[in-house]
Every structure is written in C-alpha cells, then in structure tokens.
Amino acid sequence: MVRCEEGYLCAVCGGDVGDLADSDLYLRFVAGLLDAEVLHTTPECHIRCNPALAQFIVDPDFEPVVASGPFDKAFLDEGFRNARESLLTRAWQRLKLLGNSGLPIHEYPLPEVLQR
C-alpha cells in the first residue's frame, strides 16, 4: 500500500488504515467496484467501518459483520447476496496476499476484473 507520511485515515473513525487487508478502498478496487483513476480522490475507510460492504466477506479469518437496517444482507435477494459474498470474499482474500507481493497496482484486481 502506498503511504504518505500521515498514512491513510479512515473517513468514518479517523483511525489509520495501515494494512491493505483493512482497506475498504482497495477491497472495492480489487473487486472491480472502483476504477483505478479514482483511487487517489476517493475517501478511505476500514472495511469494518463500512458494514454494508463488510457483511459480505465470509471467511474464517474475518470476524463477521452485521449491517443492521435496510442494508442487512438478510433482506436482499439470495442470488445477489450469494454473488456479492463470493466476489467480496475472494477480493478480501486477494487483499491479504497482496500486502507484500510486489505486484504493480494495476494487477491488484481479481482475474475476472482484469479481463473486462
């Protein structure tokens, strides 16, 4: 993760987003939900500080997040929910591997995102 002296600060809690695997911004980029051209202009936050997105990560190494209210995945169409869980879980798993990979940023996204 490229960092300036101050680091990336979470727009929600104000804390430092010091690890790539905690980055909502890069999770969305890897999943193809955010274009590279806007990475430098989009506010950062911790994945867990965005429960509407974090709830879709289903991995034993990721403590489940519940988004209460109308954005709770329990209220969403099952097909959409399953597709979103698959996409965001694989994107988060990839984020964990990217931390020290040395890959250039344009190779961060999932393979199917790169093929588009």
Side-chain angles (χ1 to χ4, degrees), residues 12-107:
V12 176
C13 74
D16 182 38
V17 183
D19 189 84
L20 194 60
D22 293 330
S23 171
D24 170 82
L25 182 68
Y26 280 88
L27 176 69
R28 291 183 288 140
F29 174 62
V30 169
L33 304 175
L34 191 69
D35 291 328
E37 293 81 23
V38 297
L39 279 175
H40 67 288
T41 60
T42 304
E44 173 66 289
C45 75
H46 296 102
I47 292 171
R48 302 187 75 72
C49 288
N50 183 357
L53 196 70
Q55 68 180 331
F56 293 104
I57 299 172
V58 181
D59 185 283
D61 292 335
F62 188 85
E63 185 179 336
V65 173
V66 175
S68 57
F71 295 108
D72 185 333
K73 70 180 182 178
F75 299 122
L76 301 176
D77 172 77
E78 183 180 1
F80 174 83
R81 182 177 59 241
N82 291 341
R84 188 60 70 151
E85 284 178 347
S86 174
L87 174 67
L88 292 171
T89 298
R90 288 182 298 108
W92 183 74
Q93 290 165 341
R94 181 155 174 82
L95 268 184
K96 288 183 4 177
L97 299 174
L98 289 171
N100 296 314
S101 70
L103 282 177
I105 195 166
H106 68 272
E107 293 182 22

